Structure formats: C-alpha cells, structure tokens
Amino acid sequence: MLSARSLFQEIIDNDDSFQLFCSIAASGEAQGGWENARIAALVPESMRELAPKITRHGADEDKHGRIFNALLKKRGLEPVPVPPETDYTMLLERRGIGLTHDKLRRDEPLTEHDIVVYLSHSRVTEQRAADQMDMLVKHFADHPEVGRAIKMICNDEDNHLAYCHEELLRLARAGHGRTIQRTLRESALAEIEVYRDVSLAVMDHMGRILRWPRPKRAALALGIRGMYAFERLGGWRRMVDLRMPQRRNALGGPAEPAPVF
C-alpha cells in the first residue's frame, strides 16, 4: 500500500535518495534565507519595524539549510546538484510569484507594495511548508535520525505562518486589503501548479534511484495529479484565508539556535 509514511521511509533508508532529498531541501531553505535577508535590508523606511522579523525569518531558513546539510554529513554524504525541474523557489519566480532575484540584487529600497507582495507570497508558501512538516512530524517525530530535525523545523514553519497571518491582517487594516486578496489568490493558483510539477519531478527522480516498478510510479503520478485537481477545485482556498493566529509576534525575537546539529 502506498502511503506518505512508507514512501518517505524508503527515501530516508537509501543513501542516494536521502542525499537528493536533503540537497533539494537545503537548497530551497538557503534560497529562502538569502531572499529574506535581502528583503530585510531593502525594506522601505515606512515599514522598518518589519525588518527584524524578516531578518529572523531569513535566519530560520538558513538554519534549516544547515540542518539538512548536517543530516547529510552525519551519513558521510555531500550535497548534490539540484535538478532544475525540482527547484520550487525558482519555478515560482519564473511564474512571476514573489519578488524577483534581479530586484533583490539591486541596492534600491523596496516599496510598500513590494512588501505586501512578499508577505502574501510567503503566506501561501509557508502554508505548504507547514502542511508538509506537520505530515512528517505525524509519522517521523520519533525517528532516531531525522525526528529532532523535523520537529524543530516544523515549529519554525508554524511561527512563519503565524507571522504572515498577523502582518497581513495589520496591513489589510492599513488599507492594503484588496492588493492582499488579489495577490494571495494569484500566488495560490500558481503555487499549486508549481507544487504539482515539482512533486512529479521529485518522484520521478526518486523512482529511478529506488527502481520503483512502473505501476507504482504511475500510481504516484496519478495521486499527485489528483491532489492538484482537488486543490484547483477549491483546496487552494486554505492557502489564502487570514485569521489572527494564536502565536502572536511569533518572529519577535532572535532565531533559536540548533546546537544539536
């Protein structure tokens, strides 16, 4: 029987598939760390109070990248190049979602609109990250090799999601509501397509590494497309609603270290 637990167990039990999985995850987290650091440096003066929280967000992402690289090192493995078709962050950028790397490389202050776009995009992608980490914690919280890592990352992703909700609600009250609503919808509809394509690409690579039989690979592809159909028909709406989180000021302090790694 195919299940998230059994599939992930296969991936972490094999050095080659584990190496690819951690490399993809570490690369994505490192990109997120760089992006948030640049955004924090370029925040407009009218929104400077957000800079420490954006910096904290970036520091958390950098920490997650180090954790995944540490998991590789503990097995005596090195990171491998990330196949471009599995690069979630860059594929989103190509779809016009979020702030482009070209803009972030310039030493020009961002606008208030840019920050609204950044937070709206983050609210969508952090929902995906939080959902994925919740699933991993559900099945692997007690795993001797990856359990502590995924629990730490899961807690951070919940903080990131809470931060996005709280700040977007504040900006909506300040008059940015229509922009936020429109950007959230555009981001969510693009994200579910990118997530489908990346999921298909990752499973294709894993299938070849683990030598999955053709019927198993076909069933997985069908499941991924089925999930996309569900999200396209309305499941995407969970990624755009805004509600005041229980965790208030979730990124109000320094990033928590990960000394165990």
Side-chain angles (χ1 to χ4, degrees), residues 189 192-193 196 223-233:
L189 291 175
I192 63 174
E193 290 189 3
R196 174 202 60 194
I224 291 168
R225 291 192 172 96
M227 176 57 72
Y228 168 74
F230 163 76
E231 292 192 324
R232 187 65 182 84
L233 288 171

Side-chain angles (χ1 to χ4, degrees), residues 50 53 57 119 122-124 126-127 130 154-170 241-252:
L50 277 175
K53 295 181 181 181
H57 191 176
L119 282 169
S122 294
R123 186 265 175 271
V124 171
E126 292 298 338
Q127 182 71 60
C154 184
N155 182 67
D156 288 344
E157 300 298 0
D158 287 343
N159 283 337
H160 300 167
L161 188 56
Y163 145 76
C164 291
H165 277 274
E166 186 172 8
E167 297 303 331
L168 284 171
L169 285 170
R170 182 179 63 80
D241 73 312
L242 294 175
R243 59 190 181 279
M244 189 55 68
Q246 290 184 340
R247 300 188 186 195
R248 305 292 292 273
N249 196 29
L251 298 187

Side-chain angles (χ1 to χ4, degrees), residues 4 7 48 67 89 108 110 129 134 158 194 220 243 250 259 261:
L7 290 171
R48 288 308 299 173
I67 288 173
T89 303
E108 300 174 5
L110 298 171
D134 283 344
D158 287 343
V194 170
L220 285 170
R243 59 190 181 279
F261 300 101

Side-chain angles (χ1 to χ4, degrees), residues 105-124:
R105 289 189 185 98
R106 302 176 202 155
D107 286 323
E108 300 174 5
L110 298 171
T111 65
E112 289 191 3
H113 179 267
D114 289 332
I115 300 302
V116 170
V117 167
Y118 149 71
L119 282 169
S120 299
H121 167 246
S122 294
R123 186 265 175 271
V124 171

Side-chain angles (χ1 to χ4, degrees), residues 13-240:
D13 285 346
N14 178 280
D15 279 352
D16 291 336
S17 55
F18 184 74
Q19 185 178 37
L20 179 59
F21 169 79
C22 288
S23 297
I24 291 172
S27 174
E29 298 288 357
Q31 286 187 61
W34 177 84
E35 289 170 2
N36 278 280
R38 290 301 299 154
I39 292 167
L42 301 175
V43 169
E45 283 300 321
S46 60
M47 292 182 161
R48 288 308 299 173
E49 75 280 359
L50 277 175
K53 295 181 181 181
I54 300 172
T55 298
R56 160 76 184 274
H57 191 176
D60 283 345
E61 304 285 4
D62 281 336
K63 178 181 71 179
H64 300 167
R66 293 195 301 274
I67 288 173
F68 283 114
N69 282 322
L71 290 174
L72 286 174
K73 186 176 181 180
K74 284 171 72 174
R75 276 210 199 175
L77 302 172
E78 294 292 329
V80 294
V82 174
E85 65 273 18
T86 69
D87 193 332
Y88 174 79
T89 303
M90 293 309 299
L91 290 172
L92 281 174
E93 181 181 342
R94 289 177 190 169
R95 291 291 304 267
I97 301 303
L99 303 180
T100 67
H101 284 192
D102 180 60
K103 175 176 288 219
L104 295 180
R105 289 189 185 98
R106 302 176 202 155
D107 286 323
E108 300 174 5
L110 298 171
T111 65
E112 289 191 3
H113 179 267
D114 289 332
I115 300 302
V116 170
V117 167
Y118 149 71
L119 282 169
S120 299
H121 167 246
S122 294
R123 186 265 175 271
V124 171
T125 56
E126 292 298 338
Q127 182 71 60
R128 181 71 71 187
D131 289 348
Q132 289 183 316
M133 295 313 301
D134 283 344
M135 180 272 293
L136 290 177
V137 167
K138 177 182 177 181
H139 296 300
F140 293 95
D142 296 327
H143 191 279
E145 186 174 12
V146 302
R148 297 179 75 175
I150 61 176
K151 284 189 288 187
M152 180 175 293
I153 295 172
C154 184
N155 182 67
D156 288 344
E157 300 298 0
D158 287 343
N159 283 337
H160 300 167
L161 188 56
Y163 145 76
C164 291
H165 277 274
E166 186 172 8
E167 297 303 331
L168 284 171
L169 285 170
R170 182 179 63 80
L171 289 169
R173 290 193 298 270
H176 297 281
R178 288 189 177 181
T179 300
I180 291 169
Q181 186 179 44
R182 183 182 67 253
T183 307
L184 283 172
R185 186 179 190 278
E186 292 172 353
S187 297
L189 291 175
E191 193 279 342
I192 63 174
E193 290 189 3
V194 170
Y195 182 71
R196 174 202 60 194
D197 294 344
V198 168
S199 296
L200 288 169
V202 170
M203 287 299 103
D204 182 61
H205 282 280
M206 294 301 176
R208 281 188 270 117
I209 291 171
L210 296 169
R211 299 182 180 180
W212 286 338
R214 186 166 303 205
K216 181 174 181 176
R217 295 167 72 171
L220 285 170
L222 184 63
I224 291 168
R225 291 192 172 96
M227 176 57 72
Y228 168 74
F230 163 76
E231 292 192 324
R232 187 65 182 84
L233 288 171
W236 61 273
R237 296 184 187 280
R238 79 186 190 286
M239 309 174 87
V240 304

